[in-house]
Amino acid sequence: MEPSSRHGYPRPQLRRDHWQSLNGSWRFCFDNEARHVGPADITEWPLEIVVPYPPESQASGIGDRGFHQVCWYQREFELTPADDRVILHFGAVDYAARVWVNGELVVTHEGGHTPFRADITQALRPDGKQVVTVRADDDPHDLTKPRGKQDWQPEPHSIWYPRTTGIWQTVWLERVSPIHIDKIRWTPKLEGFALGLEARVAGDSGGDTSLELELWHGEQLLARDRYRVVDGEVDRFVVLSDPGIDDFRNELLWSPERPTLLEAKLRLWRGGRMIDEVHSYTALRSANVSRDRFMLNGRPYVLRMVLDQGYWPDTLLAAPDDDALRRDVELAKAMGFNGVRKHQKIEDPRYLYWADKLGLVVWEEMPSAYRFTRTAIKRIVREWTEAMDRDYSHPCVIVWVPFNESWGVPELPAVKAHRHAVEALYHLTKTLDQTRAVIGNDGWESSATDIIGIHDYDSNLDHIRQRYGPEVEPEKLFDRRRPGGRVLTLDGYPHRGQPIMLTEFGGISFQARAEQGVKKIWGYTEIGDEETFARTYEQLLETVIFTALFSGFCYTQFADTFQEANGLLYADRTPKIPLERVRQVTSQSRTYIPGGV
């Protein structure tokens, strides 16, 4: 099977040479009354859709943004069964999916942002003519499911945008050996100059089964090892030769300024016969908090980030193609940012691949539900742990953010269950990943957290200086300041010396041209001309950058998102002001950070 997708290899850290994309034209129908139970119930397919674009998008060929609770997809594909196994993969289907192959149910999945798969070998027809059918359930009014910025009203309002229903990431097939490498997980351990490798092997791996690893830095072979597979697992630390001196060490370390990736080739052997081969990559880097500083590779690192919502005008949450994802990373770097906060979206793995490769740190944030119920919390926990599992090995991901601005937990100061939910997700996240920082609830009402993130959209520079300037003691800041009308920390959780960052600010709305389909623009502050917009950005960034209290910042936002016209770029990624002008102010750095360096 050969690749046939403009969207790139969908699982960049476990690649095989042969795969088959099922993107493209599918039969499609809405099922607003949820009358159909299985594929045999559908006698008519009135529409065609271009996968992986959601039916609300123009690129899908449908462009219907009405309320639709259920939709169905179907297409044929050619594949002749052999002695191997055939795996059908879905990058993401919003919200719940049921999948049939040749009328046989092969998998169900709930969670609109995470991948799932099915071994469809037993469902294949011997003549090679196969049919796959998908039912997607996505109640547009359900506020207990993690939905991020998808609006529940007929028209996008305020900071919420058009819905995304059904398939919105690549659908693809791969053929694998009956015994094959099923999963890889990398954990850098910088203090030991080592890389942790966890590999899981599917199938009967008993007997003489071993895993061979080659690790390369460019043309230099760093390691070649072979490990016995025991109970379907290999767990090892690969210790590299530590050059000792920082100048030489830095050549192997990953950072936005020097995004060094280590290429890996893994071969699975049964006796003297190779039965599987995959390609991967990893990196040596550490990302943690020490007192009031964020640390990258053991050194204080000031985060200069931009909030990125990952929407496009014609494709919504789905990326137009792989080039669009790469371009977004390049644009963020061109504007002087060293990181992005992916806001209310678990982004396509291809974006993380380009951030790994080109050098951009990423804060990964769970899309919010908007009602507090037991069902909502169960859904968040399940989908969040799946997202963490998918993205754990990406070196660009440096911070996990389970909650944003108390969305879904609106009574944190008063209701213990809401506080317990945030604290539980914080501790669960730390349990599943001990190598990264975690922000329990970004914006305000902090409790369990490694970083205190503050959201403050006041555009008055004097107010910013008065709130966060050198004369303000942190204790008074947390006792008295109420950005957004919310306390910054909850009772019982005083500031314990964690880094303080301004993780949302700006929101300057400027639009010099009419955007198609946008009737009225929205923003926190509206500016009428390009030069005033540029000067306002420059003055605001200079104020924040030279405020010693902050260990980092995240400006709102990367690009216009429908009616929210506060991007540095238009929705089509055209710059509103020259990129170099943005870069000059964004990339400024003060000569010290909190604690003094």
Side-chain angles (χ1 to χ4, degrees):
M1 292 182 286
E2 297 299 329
S4 56
S5 171
R6 296 185 302 120
H7 290 78
Y9 196 100
R11 189 187 53 203
Q13 287 188 293
L14 201 167
R15 310 184 307 276
R16 291 186 172 89
D17 290 337
H18 302 292
W19 62 290
Q20 179 180 339
S21 170
L22 293 185
N23 291 344
S25 181
W26 291 54
R27 292 187 286 271
F28 183 83
C29 71
F30 291 113
D31 185 11
N32 295 332
E33 297 175 358
R35 293 184 295 110
H36 306 315
V37 176
D41 298 335
I42 305 174
T43 58
E44 183 178 3
W45 295 90
L47 300 169
E48 285 194 359
I49 188 169
V50 179
V51 168
Y53 307 121
E56 292 88 350
S57 71
Q58 293 300 315
S60 71
I62 295 177
D64 186 334
R65 295 185 180 176
F67 292 132
H68 301 288
Q69 181 167 332
V70 178
C71 61
W72 291 80
Y73 298 77
Q74 190 176 83
R75 69 159 287 172
E76 287 91 18
F77 62 94
E78 293 279 342
L79 191 143
T80 302
D83 294 332
D84 53 10
R85 313 297 298 179
V86 178
I87 312 297
L88 172 63
H89 296 267
F90 291 83
V93 180
D94 203 356
Y95 170 69
R98 295 168 65 84
V99 182
W100 293 259
V101 172
N102 300 323
E104 181 179 332
L105 183 65
V106 294
V107 67
T108 64
H109 180 261
E110 182 178 326
H113 304 85
T114 50
F116 61 98
R117 61 186 175 175
D119 184 333
I120 63 172
T121 310
Q122 300 305 316
L124 296 175
R125 293 172 177 161
D127 64 4
K129 299 183 184 300
Q130 320 297 343
V131 179
V132 56
T133 308
V134 179
R135 169 177 166 150
D137 288 65
D138 191 19
D139 184 349
H141 304 293
D142 185 355
L143 299 185
T144 65
K145 67 172 182 275
R147 59 189 298 151
K149 289 299 197 78
Q150 299 182 59
D151 209 330
W152 51 93
Q153 296 186 13
E155 295 294 330
H157 78 289
S158 184
I159 57 173
W160 287 275
Y161 317 122
R163 290 170 295 283
T164 287
T165 297
I167 299 170
W168 66 277
Q169 288 183 28
T170 291
V171 185
W172 58 293
L173 294 160
E174 67 175 341
R175 306 188 82 138
V176 298
S177 167
I179 306 170
H180 59 274
I181 300 166
D182 186 56
K183 183 178 178 181
I184 298 171
R185 176 179 165 114
W186 298 100
T187 303
K189 189 177 181 181
L190 191 59
E191 60 272 24
F193 225 61
L195 288 162
L197 167 64
E198 299 174 48
R200 300 295 178 262
V201 175
D204 180 11
S205 60
D208 187 15
T209 304
S210 60
L211 182 71
E212 180 186 10
L213 166 68
E214 286 185 4
L215 196 64
W216 295 82
H217 173 219
E219 299 298 318
Q220 180 185 4
L221 179 64
L222 299 178
R224 178 182 284 138
D225 298 318
R226 196 157 173 170
Y227 314 108
R228 182 73 174 265
V229 178
V230 179
D231 295 330
E233 299 181 1
V234 170
D235 292 322
R236 293 289 189 276
F237 268 105
V238 183
V239 179
L240 305 180
S241 178
D242 188 344
I245 300 173
D246 278 355
D247 286 350
F248 294 135
R249 261 184 158 226
N250 290 341
E251 292 183 9
L252 281 181
L253 302 185
W254 186 96
S255 70
E257 295 72 28
R258 190 199 291 258
T260 301
L261 296 180
L262 307 179
E263 294 296 327
K265 183 179 292 186
L266 296 102
R267 300 183 182 95
L268 192 64
W269 295 84
R270 190 69 178 265
R273 184 169 65 94
M274 187 179 73
I275 56 176
D276 194 17
E277 181 178 55
V278 300
H279 302 270
S280 185
Y281 68 85
T282 183
L284 271 173
R285 71 106 186 85
S286 63
N288 61 289
V289 164
S290 177
R291 299 183 182 179
D292 59 353
R293 315 179 200 181
F294 179 82
M295 311 288 282
L296 185 68
N297 296 331
R299 299 290 183 269
Y301 192 81
V302 176
L303 293 168
R304 302 188 306 274
M305 302 189 302
V306 64
L307 184 142
D308 183 355
Q309 311 211 56
Y311 276 82
W312 289 265
D314 294 331
T315 59
L316 307 183
L317 282 179
D321 52 34
D322 194 44
D323 288 342
L325 292 169
R326 175 173 183 156
R327 181 62 174 153
D328 276 8
V329 173
E330 292 172 337
L331 284 167
K333 289 179 68 71
M335 290 189 288
F337 297 103
N338 57 24
V340 295
R341 176 173 162 228
K342 274 291 177 178
H343 186 43
Q344 290 297 291
K345 182 185 183 185
I346 305 298
E347 189 54 275
D348 190 304
R350 294 295 304 181
Y351 181 94
L352 300 181
Y353 164 75
W354 288 116
D356 290 338
K357 185 175 180 63
L358 301 177
L360 191 72
V361 299
V362 175
W363 285 19
E364 185 158 324
E365 178 182 313
M366 181 64 198
S368 294
Y370 294 99
R371 290 185 60 215
F372 183 85
T373 67
R374 288 187 296 274
T375 296
I377 295 302
K378 288 177 181 178
R379 287 171 164 178
I380 290 168
V381 169
R382 178 175 57 244
E383 195 164 350
W384 180 237
T385 54
E386 287 182 356
M388 289 184 64
D389 188 55
R390 191 198 76 173
D391 296 337
Y392 176 91
S393 296
H394 284 282
C396 68
V397 177
I398 61 166
V399 173
W400 303 110
V401 186
F403 286 95
N404 171 71
E405 289 188 351
S406 308
W407 291 351
V409 282
E411 302 298 336
L412 283 174
V415 178
K416 289 183 179 179
H418 292 204
R419 295 199 299 275
H420 292 326
V422 173
E423 293 160 20
L425 261 292
Y426 167 84
H427 289 293
L428 175 62
T429 304
K430 297 290 286 187
T431 299
L432 296 176
D433 183 357
Q434 302 168 44
T435 71
R436 292 176 171 94
V438 179
I439 299 180
N441 178 40
D442 193 35
W444 43 65
E445 297 175 342
S446 291
S447 55
T449 192
D450 297 328
I451 297 169
I452 293 180
I454 299 173
H455 297 181
D456 191 338
Y457 283 103
D458 195 331
S459 61
N460 187 308
L461 301 183
D462 289 336
H463 292 175
I464 296 292
R465 295 188 189 100
Q466 290 167 8
R467 285 177 191 153
Y468 310 111
E471 71 281 359
V472 177
E473 298 176 10
E475 293 77 14
K476 294 181 179 178
L477 168 70
F478 294 108
D479 287 343
R480 301 178 183 178
R481 303 306 177 192
R482 302 287 189 274
R486 306 293 190 103
V487 295
L488 292 179
T489 57
L490 296 177
D491 290 346
Y493 286 91
H495 180 232
R496 304 186 307 279
Q498 307 104 309
I500 301 169
M501 301 190 190
L502 193 60
T503 50
E504 282 190 34
F505 72 104
I508 305 166
S509 178
F510 166 65
Q511 193 175 55
R513 68 185 196 193
E515 291 292 300
Q516 184 178 1
V518 176
K519 299 175 183 177
K520 184 179 180 181
I521 66 171
W522 184 92
Y524 294 93
T525 301
E526 292 192 17
I527 299 293
D529 64 273
E530 179 180 318
E531 181 57 29
T532 303
F533 174 68
R535 283 191 284 105
T536 302
Y537 177 76
E538 290 167 348
Q539 293 167 2
L540 183 57
L541 263 290
E542 286 174 356
T543 300
V544 171
I545 288 171
F546 290 97
T547 297
L549 181 70
F550 297 135
S551 297
F553 65 82
C554 180
Y555 178 81
T556 304
Q557 64 181 339
F558 175 71
D560 287 356
T561 310
F562 298 95
Q563 72 278 5
E564 194 174 349
N566 52 22
L568 293 166
L569 312 172
Y570 287 103
D572 65 2
R573 280 40 175 184
T574 301
K576 294 184 179 181
I577 53 178
L579 293 178
E580 183 55 36
R581 186 169 183 180
V582 177
R583 181 182 182 85
Q584 285 178 357
V585 64
T586 306
S587 58
Q588 293 181 96
S589 60
R590 58 178 182 262
T591 57
Y592 64 93
I593 66 170
V597 170

